[in-house]
Amino acid sequence: MRILLSNDDGVFAHGLKCLVKAAEPLGEVSVVAPDREQSAASHSLTLHHPVRPRRIDERTWQVDGTPTDCVMLAVEALLPERPDFVISGINHGQNMGEDVLYSGTVAAAMEGLSLGIPSFAISFAGGDLRADTSMLDEQIKPLSLLLRHLTSLPAYPTHTLFNINMPPVSGGEIKGVRLTRLGRRVYSNSLMPMKDPWGRDIFWIGGGSIEWSGEEDSDFRAIADGYISITPLSLDLTHDQCLSDRESWWREP
Ligand SMILES: [Mg+2]
């Protein structure tokens, strides 16, 4: 089995190192990842300047581009053989609810899926990893078992990736796996008004507080209860229900 790994936290991120350890028992692992953090890069492609891959070792490349650039470059140019799976992560922080629309981690898996390869995005819904990585380190073993299961399924739903969030507990305390839907995230005070050194208005996007809402089977509830959350995400954003109910909102001009 050939597995391509990428992420949006950069090639030297601790989460990616953990993912390498979790995936290595399963097959031949290659890493193609951005040379710096690209969190919230979403599914962007670098179109206006070239991207340069640099080989770090036999099976690891860093690219001065986005997560999407990395997966495209890996599959189309760098790897001698097409991977059987693309796995992105482990992101430093959750990717639940609307996060998935901004996430570079999810986008790398989307790119794998766009290229016709079953793909998973993995995020650790824990706190600041710069202070303490022990909780994530303890999740390598359960994650490896989960990946062994996910890579041996008899079939994969078409145009669908698995968005996986790991709960902020130590490996032995994970209660199990729940299949979930996306919750809703509400940010408060996420625009911080500031002054630049010349007294002009600037804004820092980020920070503030996050609240969640959603149904019983939402991703954030699974995480709060100590379960691994797996949300199947469709690349086809078409709202089928809206199309079938078109009489309620559309009139011929
Ligand atoms: Mg990130």
Side-chain angles (χ1 to χ4, degrees):
M1 191 194 304
R2 290 183 293 272
I3 303 171
L4 168 63
L5 306 184
S6 192
N7 75 348
D8 77 354
D9 295 320
V11 72
F12 300 112
H14 188 75
L16 180 57
K17 291 192 177 83
C18 293
L19 183 56
V20 168
K21 287 181 188 161
E24 264 175 344
L26 309 179
E28 185 185 79
V29 169
S30 304
V31 175
V32 181
D35 63 356
R36 69 201 78 177
E37 181 168 355
Q38 294 278 346
S39 293
S42 188
H43 205 165
S44 55
L45 264 181
T46 302
L47 296 180
H48 302 294
H49 60 80
V51 288
R52 187 188 302 275
R54 192 167 78 81
R55 197 168 196 161
I56 298 175
D57 61 37
E58 179 64 20
R59 305 216 65 86
T60 307
W61 289 260
Q62 67 176 47
V63 176
D64 57 347
T66 67
T68 303
D69 296 334
C70 290
V71 173
M72 182 184 280
L73 225 67
V75 175
E76 307 273 351
L78 299 178
L79 301 184
E81 287 172 294
R82 191 175 167 81
D84 300 300
F85 293 93
V86 173
I87 308 177
S88 175
I90 303 170
N91 188 59
H92 296 190
Q94 83 272 342
N95 273 306
M96 306 188 295
E98 289 92 334
D99 290 336
V100 302
L101 299 175
Y102 300 94
S103 168
T105 305
V106 175
M110 278 185 190
E111 187 59 22
L113 193 61
S114 303
L115 295 165
I117 303 164
S119 299
F120 319 132
I122 301 171
S123 304
F124 176 63
D128 187 354
L129 286 172
R130 286 170 298 185
D132 182 9
T133 62
S134 59
M135 208 182 275
L136 181 55
D137 295 337
E138 287 172 26
Q139 297 204 354
I140 293 170
K141 199 171 171 192
L143 178 60
S144 191
L145 290 173
L146 177 67
L147 290 178
R148 185 175 291 283
H149 179 72
L150 289 176
T151 53
S152 59
L153 295 176
Y156 296 88
T158 50
H159 306 306
T160 304
L161 67 90
F162 295 144
N163 183 46
I164 300 163
N165 280 278
M166 306 294 288
V169 297
S170 66
E173 292 171 347
I174 295 174
K175 289 196 184 142
V177 177
R178 275 194 201 156
L179 299 184
T180 59
R181 65 178 61 248
L182 294 177
R184 298 293 315 276
R185 183 198 58 186
V186 184
Y187 271 129
S188 306
N189 305 319
S190 58
L191 263 187
M192 179 78 76
M194 304 170 90
K195 298 284 184 192
D196 74 6
W198 297 271
R200 296 172 298 203
D201 289 335
I202 54 171
F203 295 87
W204 200 300
I205 299 175
S209 58
I210 304 175
E211 285 187 27
W212 293 91
S213 69
E215 326 224 339
E216 272 307 306
D217 58 351
S218 296
D219 46 12
F220 74 96
R221 289 188 195 271
I223 290 301
D225 291 344
Y227 287 80
I228 296 171
S229 162
I230 303 182
T231 310
L233 296 181
S234 171
L235 270 196
D236 181 354
L237 298 178
T238 311
H239 198 306
D240 287 327
Q241 181 81 35
C242 226
L243 276 183
S244 29
D245 293 346
R246 66 182 74 194
E247 289 76 18
S248 67
W249 57 275
W250 171 250
R251 287 198 178 83
E252 288 300 325

